[in-house]
Amino acid sequence: IIMAGKVVTCKSSQKQWIRDLSMDQARGTVQVYKTFINQLLRITGNANNPVSSLTRQQLYDFVNDQQAKESTRRVRLAAVHSFFRYAAGYGHVIGNISTTVRLNTSLLTVEQRERIPAVPFTEDEYRRVMANPAVPKFWRWASAMGWWLGLRMVDVCRYEWASVGEDFAVLYPQKTGRKLIMPLHDPLIGSGELRAVFAEMRTTFSSDEAHCFPEAKRFYETGRMSKYEGGFKAALALCGIEGKTFHG
């Protein structure tokens, strides 16, 4: 494919794909996808060749790498599909051969199929976090939003004051983008417990800011979330909780 007198290589197409992907995908997802496509181009030696130089067999072999676990293969497949959708959409390649590539589960061993399950918090552990005065307020509030609303850390960091109503919370989870309206009085969402959490947040942070936690949002956007992730681990240690992450 030639555009503006230049051949569009896999590498240049990838750069544009990453730029567009960053507009609507989480930073972690973008980085993982980029890493896998870099591996694909390195393995096949096609970085400086047109996208059309990649063959279906190469894509299939990359996705169904015999050394990779099932979860890794699925993410590789998602990255390949995403890259080729972009390349085909922008005319960097004619057709999209990636749509014919599938995960071959018959090649998986039992060990490769097994996943390490995410260990959820128990209610007792959640209550210990909320009751411990040594736990920083941010982590108590974030824990309450995660526990009752199911928010991931990225969604906590991006949460806006405009989403907090008198008796409801509006969610736009980045993973799905679908709008959800959660009634705070419902027993399944804390029977109003979050109202007190939001009220305490308002007395601490300025509601003049669009986002509830502007500092956390800045750290997330600059890819420096380790400060906050480390803080949560330390907060759990204060409560005698081990082996859990915020995702739990």
Side-chain angles (χ1 to χ4, degrees), residues 152-214:
R152 297 183 302 152
M153 179 49 60
V154 57
D155 298 314
V156 171
C157 292
R158 296 170 58 249
Y159 206 71
E160 300 182 36
W161 288 116
S163 295
V164 182
E166 183 67 28
D167 191 41
F168 64 87
V170 180
L171 314 180
Y172 291 93
Q174 182 162 324
K175 194 168 187 177
T176 65
R178 292 194 297 269
K179 180 180 180 180
L180 302 171
I181 300 178
M182 312 290 274
L184 300 183
H185 64 273
D186 193 290
L188 294 178
I189 311 176
S191 299
E193 181 177 326
L194 275 173
R195 286 200 208 99
V197 171
F198 288 136
E200 187 180 10
M201 286 165 51
R202 286 189 183 280
T203 63
T204 305
F205 291 116
S206 171
S207 56
D208 293 336
E209 293 272 4
H211 294 84
C212 299
F213 309 114

Side-chain angles (χ1 to χ4, degrees), residues 64-214:
N64 292 293
D65 177 7
Q66 293 185 15
Q67 305 304 314
K69 293 185 178 181
E70 180 181 0
S71 57
T72 300
R73 298 185 192 194
R74 292 191 182 281
V75 178
R76 285 187 176 192
L77 182 61
V80 167
H81 281 171
S82 176
F83 175 62
F84 266 83
R85 278 197 305 270
Y86 169 86
Y90 277 83
H92 297 174
V93 65
I94 298 174
N96 183 354
I97 62 171
S98 78
T99 59
T100 67
V101 179
R102 297 288 185 271
L103 186 71
N104 189 343
T105 56
S106 67
L107 299 176
L108 294 167
T109 65
V110 172
E111 183 180 359
Q112 289 172 325
R113 290 174 186 270
E114 292 295 330
R115 300 181 182 181
I116 300 175
V119 183
F121 273 69
T122 64
E123 182 167 0
D124 173 69
E125 289 171 333
Y126 166 68
R127 293 298 175 193
R128 280 153 60 189
V129 170
M130 297 302 292
N132 192 328
V135 173
K137 288 183 177 180
F138 171 80
W139 286 118
R140 287 197 290 105
W141 298 329
S143 295
M145 295 167 72
W147 178 260
W148 293 116
L149 300 177
L151 295 182
R152 297 183 302 152
M153 179 49 60
V154 57
D155 298 314
V156 171
C157 292
R158 296 170 58 249
Y159 206 71
E160 300 182 36
W161 288 116
S163 295
V164 182
E166 183 67 28
D167 191 41
F168 64 87
V170 180
L171 314 180
Y172 291 93
Q174 182 162 324
K175 194 168 187 177
T176 65
R178 292 194 297 269
K179 180 180 180 180
L180 302 171
I181 300 178
M182 312 290 274
L184 300 183
H185 64 273
D186 193 290
L188 294 178
I189 311 176
S191 299
E193 181 177 326
L194 275 173
R195 286 200 208 99
V197 171
F198 288 136
E200 187 180 10
M201 286 165 51
R202 286 189 183 280
T203 63
T204 305
F205 291 116
S206 171
S207 56
D208 293 336
E209 293 272 4
H211 294 84
C212 299
F213 309 114

